[in-house]
Amino acid sequence: MIEHCWHHDHDILEIRPVAELKPAEFRALAAQVDPVICQHGALHGLLIDARNFRGWQNFAALVSHCVFTRNQHRQLHRIAVLSDNTLLAFMPQLLNHFVSAEVRPFPSEAEESALAWLAHHG
């Protein structure tokens, strides 16, 4: 399951994986957020709150995650990843192969710093 919420008047999308991720969840998330992005214009930032991330169900789920991010990247300027997991520290390098957005990791306790970085459009 992927929970999501909006920040800064729909400029920043926060997603929180709360269970092992399955491919269908990314299609469901896209169906919910794509109309909002179309209505409000560009999505300037994506905050991936991976503090409770349990991994992907299988390789197809990992690919779905990358495809979701790739499909959204045309509007994205920045992606922040919140996590203290050392394996997830490599997520920004992985995402850099799929998106043109600037990707940066943040420690779990730095949510406000991550949001401030995402809100800065420079």
Side-chain angles (χ1 to χ4, degrees), residues 24-43:
E25 292 168 6
F26 289 99
R27 290 188 297 275
L29 178 63
Q32 291 177 355
V33 302
D34 286 350
V36 177
I37 294 169
C38 288
Q39 179 182 5
H40 290 274
L43 179 64

Side-chain angles (χ1 to χ4, degrees), residues 21-24 26-27 53 55-71 91 94-95 98:
L21 296 178
K22 300 173 186 166
F26 289 99
R27 290 188 297 275
F53 182 64
W56 297 274
Q57 180 186 41
N58 52 36
F59 185 72
L62 170 61
V63 170
S64 293
H65 190 173
C66 293
V67 168
F68 171 81
T69 304
R70 185 196 68 213
N71 289 344
M91 190 176 209
L94 174 67
L95 289 175
F98 293 94

